[in-house]
Amino acid sequence: MASKPEADCQTPVTVARGRSQRQITGHGRRCSRRKGQQFTTSSSSRGLASVLIRRGIREVKSSIIASRLIEGKSILTSHRYLIAQGLSFRGHDESSTSLNKGNFLEMIDWLKDSNEDVRVAFDSGGNNCKMTSREIQKDLARCCAQEVTEVIMGELGDKKFSILIDESRDISVKEQMAVMLRYVNEGKVMERFICLHHIIDTTSEALKLALLKILDHYNLSISRLRGQGYDGASNMRGEFNGLQRKILDENPHAFYIHCFAHRLQLVVVAVASSSCSYIHDFFEYVSLIVTATTSSCKKMEMLVEESHKDILKRLERGEISTGRGLHQQTSLARPGDTRWGLHHKTLLRLDQMWACVIKVLSTVDANGRNPSHAAGCIEKMECFKFALVLKLMMKLFAITNELSQLLQRKDTNVVLALELIHDVKLRLATMRDSGWESLKDEVQQFCNSKGIPVPNMDDEIPVRGRSRKEGRTITNLHYYRAEIFYVVIDKICVEMNHRFGDSNQEVIACFSCLDPKNSFSKFDVEKLSRLAEIYCADFSNSDRAVLRDQLETYVLHLRNHVAFSTCKDVESLARKMVETEKQLVFPLVYKLIELALLLPVSTASVERAFLAMKIITSKLRSTINDDWFNHLMICYTEREIFKSLDDDVITRRFQAMKARKGILPRHH
């Protein structure tokens, strides 16, 4: 086709570039360029070209953004999964030829293999924008932890709070201090983990400085502190130089409560070790039995096999029933002074596996090359005294273990805890007055079923600890009932009274008047008004002037309100007041209720945090950085909040930290 003459070209358009000019001429799809002449083109061609260029740029940008979004989503999803499960990120060998690159890279490879879009997104990013470095992982963990703590601080607001603190050593032999906040949010008691702080010095002064540093980091004033909950360590609970005293010197309203669960465990340990000589000997025998039956893999497997056979026989005889979760494989547990409820668990399993333990001990004695304790353990087990103490301690520890489980609940308040302790004391008193005959009958039935001879209760025996030559004798009934049964129960009652005698009795007694049971039968205006004087920082002079009238109106109103008749404790009362908006009608009374709920009962929540610490760290993960460890602990411990976080919120915080090569657009 012949080209059109130059005269047919349209008016030339000049495009300036700096000091030089380039002239473009064209017509339709063709364009000619001549030296020393102007270049011309049609306006329609210019518009079409710019539209195509802009469209191409938009498509490229959209493709890049989509790839970065897919890549970021995959990385964040992998991070959140590993953090929530307490798993490690890195591997020993992360090279491309490694068969195990670590959990994070292996998870990314799995996502790439299972989703073509993810593979394309990672391949298009290049080698300099993979977002898989250690710094990226730590920054993402930091962002997640900051979002979790922001939610916690949002719940707390400007409310008063209490602190729960405990110390523990991690796998890398570092002393770690865990800190939790206890506060009331819409009538519900909340205990939230906020920090795991590495401390070098464990003196009370060093702990105080570390605590003040943590509170300052979260902009929490010590003047808002209304309770302290620690264990019984001397650097914590010291009356003159402990941490609680140093905090009280700065804030006299931060009342200290020694962990109720720790106190109860001290009661159990005292009863097991020093109630009477034979009780101490009994637990020594139990430890020997556990050692003789579980000290090697062969003995352990033998015990498990005998237990399995015994369960099958009992099922065939119809003595036990089947069901989901019943009759799981188990073994004997060694009683420990620092493990809550372990004494009861050990005795319970020994009772359930009695025949199996006897069989294993007999086998160990018959097949042993060297002398062992197995024969002596059988002799001790198959006597009436051992069976009596076993059943007695099982009954007592069942009562204390039930109380321990209730005290470890997050929603337990100090008023409810004192009621539970009072109920336990009543049960122990009732058992002492009328529990001997039922216990004796139960032990006799047990002995008859196990072939253990039952002694005549009227026969005389030498006094324990005395020589037969002295001629001092007592009856079996007196020995078993007076010197074992009564002594043990009296010992546990004395220990309960001693361990649970608080220095803050006046405050706790006043708070007990808020109990809604029996139509507020304990309600006392005088004692509750006294609380306003004790907490003078929370009640002004005008508040104290009107509090008495508000209390009288409050109790009359709630006694006639049907909705409050179902309230069983102070926390359910607080929730019901929020539901019915009575906290707006009686604000001063509700403030008293909140102060009662703020007093800590136990440090069980902190102990659970230490269990999380053992999950996150291991022998292969013992050199983890303190900051990263703290961030992982916050996210793992507060998984409920962590899992509810939106990915976009974490992404925005991550982008705002610093400039990155693979950063997403701000509106994403």
Side-chain angles (χ1 to χ4, degrees):
M1 180 182 296
S3 60
K4 292 185 180 181
E6 293 297 329
D8 294 338
C9 292
Q10 304 261 342
T11 305
V13 178
T14 301
V15 181
R17 289 191 176 180
R19 296 181 180 179
S20 61
Q21 291 184 345
R22 188 178 65 177
Q23 295 175 328
I24 303 175
T25 62
H27 190 283
R29 295 182 181 178
R30 297 190 58 186
C31 177
S32 61
R33 177 174 178 177
R34 297 181 181 178
K35 185 177 181 180
Q37 296 183 357
Q38 291 182 332
F39 294 84
T40 60
T41 182
S42 64
S43 59
S44 61
S45 298
R46 294 196 308 273
L48 179 60
S50 64
V51 170
L52 292 176
I53 291 172
R54 287 196 297 269
R55 182 181 300 170
I57 293 174
R58 284 197 301 269
E59 290 177 355
V60 172
K61 290 180 65 176
S62 299
S63 176
I64 294 174
I65 292 173
S67 297
R68 297 286 76 76
L69 285 172
I70 294 174
E71 183 181 6
K73 180 74 173 179
S74 302
I75 291 173
L76 185 56
T77 301
S78 302
H79 272 77
R80 297 189 66 167
Y81 175 80
L82 295 176
I83 292 174
Q85 297 301 317
L87 300 175
S88 61
F89 282 71
R90 315 302 300 190
H92 178 68
D93 182 7
E94 296 185 350
S95 63
S96 58
T97 58
S98 175
L99 296 178
N100 186 0
K101 304 174 186 177
N103 291 329
F104 176 68
L105 292 182
E106 289 291 339
M107 191 171 184
I108 294 296
D109 289 343
W110 178 82
L111 290 173
K112 290 161 65 175
D113 293 339
S114 60
N115 193 322
E116 183 66 19
D117 294 336
V118 176
R119 185 189 65 78
V120 172
F122 274 90
D123 292 344
S124 63
N127 294 328
N128 295 327
C129 190
K130 291 184 176 180
M131 304 285 285
T132 58
S133 67
R134 298 173 186 264
E135 288 73 18
I136 296 293
Q137 294 172 2
K138 293 179 181 179
D139 287 346
L140 279 173
R142 180 188 298 274
C143 293
C144 294
Q146 289 175 349
E147 288 296 332
V148 171
T149 53
E150 188 172 309
V151 172
I152 295 174
M153 293 302 137
E155 287 183 351
L156 177 59
D158 58 352
K159 305 183 187 73
K160 303 298 188 295
F161 62 91
S162 297
I163 54 172
L164 304 173
I165 298 179
D166 203 355
E167 307 167 38
S168 181
R169 182 178 297 180
D170 63 11
I171 192 68
S172 59
V173 199
K174 290 181 179 179
E175 194 73 22
Q176 303 285 357
M177 180 177 75
V179 182
M180 301 192 75
L181 299 182
R182 180 184 174 99
Y183 55 92
V184 181
N185 183 34
E186 296 182 353
K188 183 179 180 182
V189 176
M190 311 296 293
E191 291 183 356
R192 298 294 193 186
F193 181 86
I194 62 167
C195 183
L196 184 73
H197 187 74
H198 175 211
I199 53 176
I200 300 176
D201 189 2
T202 57
T203 61
S204 58
E205 184 64 29
L207 294 176
K208 176 191 172 183
L209 294 176
L211 175 61
L212 294 179
K213 181 180 178 181
I214 294 170
L215 294 179
D216 183 66
H217 174 74
Y218 292 106
N219 296 322
L220 299 175
S221 173
I222 196 173
S223 62
R224 295 167 55 188
L225 193 60
R226 290 297 177 268
Q228 308 175 67
Y230 316 133
D231 59 9
S234 59
N235 60 342
M236 292 286 199
R237 68 184 297 263
E239 185 177 355
F240 301 105
N241 201 33
L243 176 61
Q244 62 98 5
R245 170 48 56 187
K246 293 183 178 297
I247 298 298
L248 280 173
D249 290 340
E250 296 198 16
N251 181 1
H253 307 298
F255 296 105
Y256 165 68
I257 301 294
H258 183 188
C259 173
F260 278 48
H262 276 92
R263 294 193 227 181
L264 187 61
Q265 181 64 17
L266 293 175
V267 172
V268 172
V269 172
V271 171
S273 59
S274 61
S275 55
C276 68
S277 59
Y278 185 74
I279 300 298
H280 177 269
D281 295 344
F282 169 80
F283 280 100
E284 292 293 331
Y285 299 148
V286 171
S287 297
L288 288 176
I289 293 169
V290 174
T291 301
T293 54
T294 62
S295 59
S296 67
C297 299
K298 183 177 180 180
K299 296 176 184 178
M300 181 75 74
E301 291 190 4
M302 190 187 309
L303 181 62
V304 171
E305 184 179 356
E306 291 296 331
S307 176
H308 179 69
K309 293 179 180 178
D310 182 65
I311 290 174
L312 292 179
K313 292 179 181 178
R314 294 168 65 187
L315 286 172
E316 291 176 356
R317 294 195 298 263
E319 296 179 1
I320 56 177
S321 59
T322 58
R324 186 173 183 178
L326 299 178
H327 318 305
Q328 297 292 316
Q329 177 178 316
T330 185
S331 182
L332 293 180
R334 186 179 302 278
D337 293 347
T338 59
R339 299 292 299 275
W340 299 344
L342 197 55
H343 285 80
H344 177 248
K345 183 184 295 184
T346 301
L347 300 184
L348 190 63
R349 290 183 179 178
L350 179 61
D351 179 62
Q352 294 173 346
M353 305 173 68
W354 182 277
C356 306
V357 172
I358 295 291
K359 183 69 177 293
V360 172
L361 290 174
S362 301
T363 305
V364 170
D365 180 66
N367 299 336
R369 297 180 180 179
N370 299 317
S372 66
H373 300 288
C377 290
I378 296 175
E379 181 180 351
K380 290 297 181 182
M381 288 179 65
E382 292 186 332
C383 71
F384 181 82
K385 186 191 299 185
F386 188 93
L388 174 71
V389 175
L390 174 65
K391 294 296 183 179
L392 172 61
M393 301 310 294
M394 282 178 59
K395 283 182 175 295
L396 294 176
F397 288 167
I399 297 174
T400 59
N401 187 63
E402 181 182 359
L403 175 60
S404 178
Q405 295 295 326
L406 293 172
L407 292 177
Q408 294 176 43
R409 291 170 48 186
K410 291 183 178 180
D411 57 349
T412 301
N413 56 79
V414 67
V415 177
L416 177 60
L418 291 179
E419 289 183 358
L420 294 173
I421 293 169
H422 179 69
D423 294 340
V424 167
K425 292 179 180 179
L426 290 179
R427 291 181 63 183
L428 293 174
T430 303
M431 182 177 176
R432 189 188 190 283
D433 295 337
S434 59
W436 165 251
E437 291 298 330
S438 60
L439 175 66
K440 185 183 70 172
D441 294 341
E442 182 181 353
V443 174
Q444 288 179 346
Q445 184 179 0
F446 175 82
C447 291
N448 292 332
S449 64
K450 305 299 181 183
I452 300 173
V454 179
N456 187 351
M457 291 297 165
D458 295 329
D459 291 346
E460 293 189 351
I461 57 174
V463 176
R464 181 178 173 84
R466 299 290 183 179
S467 172
R468 290 180 179 271
K469 293 182 179 180
E470 296 183 13
R472 298 178 59 181
T473 60
I474 55 175
T475 62
N476 281 319
L477 179 62
H478 176 83
Y479 175 65
Y480 292 129
R481 183 174 62 181
E483 297 191 7
I484 293 181
F485 180 76
Y486 288 157
V487 168
V488 172
I489 296 180
D490 290 343
K491 176 65 175 180
I492 196 171
C493 291
V494 170
E495 286 293 327
M496 291 282 288
N497 292 328
H498 170 65
R499 297 292 180 181
F500 292 97
D502 284 281
S503 58
N504 298 314
Q505 282 289 351
E506 182 185 8
V507 176
I508 297 175
C510 292
F511 278 133
S512 64
C513 298
L514 294 170
D515 191 358
K517 290 182 180 178
N518 300 323
S519 187
F520 297 88
S521 59
K522 297 181 180 180
F523 196 85
D524 191 322
V525 175
E526 294 295 333
K527 290 184 178 180
L528 293 175
S529 300
R530 171 63 181 154
L531 283 175
E533 298 176 3
I534 296 175
Y535 289 94
C536 57
D538 298 304
F539 296 89
S540 63
N541 292 331
S542 59
D543 291 338
R544 291 195 289 271
V546 301
L547 177 61
R548 188 182 299 272
D549 293 333
Q550 190 173 122
L551 286 169
E552 293 177 353
T553 306
Y554 159 82
V555 70
L556 289 175
H557 181 76
L558 265 62
R559 281 173 175 170
N560 297 325
H561 204 294
V562 179
F564 289 89
S565 61
T566 58
C567 295
K568 301 300 181 183
D569 54 27
V570 179
E571 184 179 8
S572 61
L573 174 63
R575 292 186 183 183
K576 187 63 68 174
M577 288 190 69
V578 173
E579 291 176 5
T580 57
E581 297 184 350
K582 299 300 180 183
Q583 85 280 10
L584 303 177
V585 182
F586 306 104
L588 299 180
V589 181
Y590 184 74
K591 185 181 293 186
L592 288 176
I593 295 174
E594 281 190 330
L595 291 172
L597 294 176
L598 283 179
L599 287 180
V601 174
S602 76
T603 59
S605 298
V606 190
E607 298 290 347
R608 297 186 188 100
F610 287 141
L611 292 178
M613 181 179 70
K614 294 181 180 179
I615 293 174
I616 293 176
T617 57
S618 63
K619 292 183 178 179
L620 298 178
R621 202 185 184 189
S622 59
T623 58
I624 187 171
N625 179 270
D626 288 339
D627 289 337
W628 195 17
F629 190 16
N630 177 43
H631 299 150
L632 295 177
M633 279 288 297
I634 292 174
C635 296
Y636 184 83
T637 307
E638 298 297 337
R639 288 190 298 276
E640 181 182 0
I641 297 177
F642 175 62
K643 291 184 177 181
S644 66
L645 295 178
D646 190 84
D647 287 346
D648 293 338
V649 176
I650 301 174
T651 303
R652 284 194 293 269
R653 182 179 288 273
F654 177 72
Q655 292 179 4
M657 292 183 67
K658 59 183 178 180
R660 306 177 190 274
K661 291 182 178 180
I663 195 168
L664 296 175
R666 291 294 180 186
H667 63 276
H668 286 278

